[in-house]
Amino acid sequence: PFPQKDYRFQWSKNFHTVSNRTAINFKCVRHLSLAGQRSIGRCKFHFVNATELTLDQITPTNYNVNTLALQQIIPLENLTKLEILSHDYSFQDLVRFLSLLHHLHTLKIRRIHCSEETDFTTFPNSDLFQFVSNVNMIRTLAITDVNDAKEV
């Protein structure tokens, strides 16, 4: 079979789709796209060599369950590029997820919610934020939907 570099798995209430190739060598997939909240729990494939991940309409609800399922699908420590196509990630959610991605170079996110309870005077001193700051070497950051300058 022809090596496939991209693979999209989508699951919603009424249907699910996978990339249209019939014979797939999952070891050749470099970019995995998961679409729909249920896709994380329903995907039974393992992409051992994937280094790019797109989460489309996947929220940070059930963080522990989603993280465990993602770790079964893709080795998170190998990711170098992450794209989040959702409006539901808070700054704390993002930092908590980034703590699992030790080699991330590129982060693209639709929007980061900055809630009133986020204290940006003390949060940068937290152990989690310090860990993420010291481990990740994000060189490219793109936020595509900003309503207020304080969100940046």
Side-chain angles (χ1 to χ4, degrees):
F2 185 79
Q4 184 172 353
K5 294 182 180 178
D6 296 310
Y7 187 84
R8 180 174 175 86
F9 186 85
Q10 181 174 350
W11 194 288
S12 69
K13 186 176 181 179
N14 298 322
F15 71 99
H16 77 280
T17 60
V18 296
S19 297
N20 59 4
R21 301 212 188 264
T22 55
I24 297 169
N25 182 351
F26 293 108
K27 290 181 180 180
C28 293
V29 174
R30 297 292 181 246
H31 175 228
L32 172 62
S33 179
L34 295 172
Q37 190 69 35
R38 294 181 181 185
S39 64
I40 292 176
R42 306 287 179 150
C43 185
K44 302 302 179 200
F45 309 116
H46 189 61
F47 302 88
V48 295
N49 293 317
T51 57
E52 300 178 16
L53 175 64
T54 299
L55 300 176
D56 188 356
Q57 300 305 314
I58 296 175
T59 64
T61 57
N62 297 323
Y63 175 79
N64 292 334
V65 173
N66 284 346
T67 302
L68 287 173
L70 272 175
Q71 289 173 332
Q72 297 300 313
I73 298 169
I74 187 170
L76 296 177
E77 64 275 2
N78 292 344
L79 289 183
T80 59
K81 182 177 180 183
L82 173 65
E83 183 172 9
I84 299 175
L85 302 174
S86 175
H87 290 280
D88 298 326
Y89 280 78
S90 70
F91 187 73
Q92 294 93 329
D93 293 330
L94 183 61
V95 170
R96 187 168 50 167
F97 191 46
L98 291 177
S99 70
L100 304 172
L101 313 176
H102 300 173
H103 300 302
L104 198 65
H105 296 233
T106 303
L107 172 62
K108 183 176 181 182
I109 187 166
R110 187 167 284 164
R111 182 168 187 191
I112 303 172
H113 283 283
C114 295
S115 63
E116 295 298 323
E117 64 227 23
T118 304
D119 183 359
F120 288 104
T121 59
T122 59
F123 190 72
N125 296 323
S126 70
D127 291 339
L128 183 61
F129 186 83
Q130 288 298 314
F131 175 77
V132 170
S133 297
N134 291 328
V135 171
N136 287 325
M137 302 302 274
I138 298 174
R139 295 183 205 132
T140 306
L141 171 65
I143 304 171
T144 57
D145 184 4
V146 178
N147 289 336
D148 190 346
K150 72 178 183 179
E151 292 181 0
V152 180

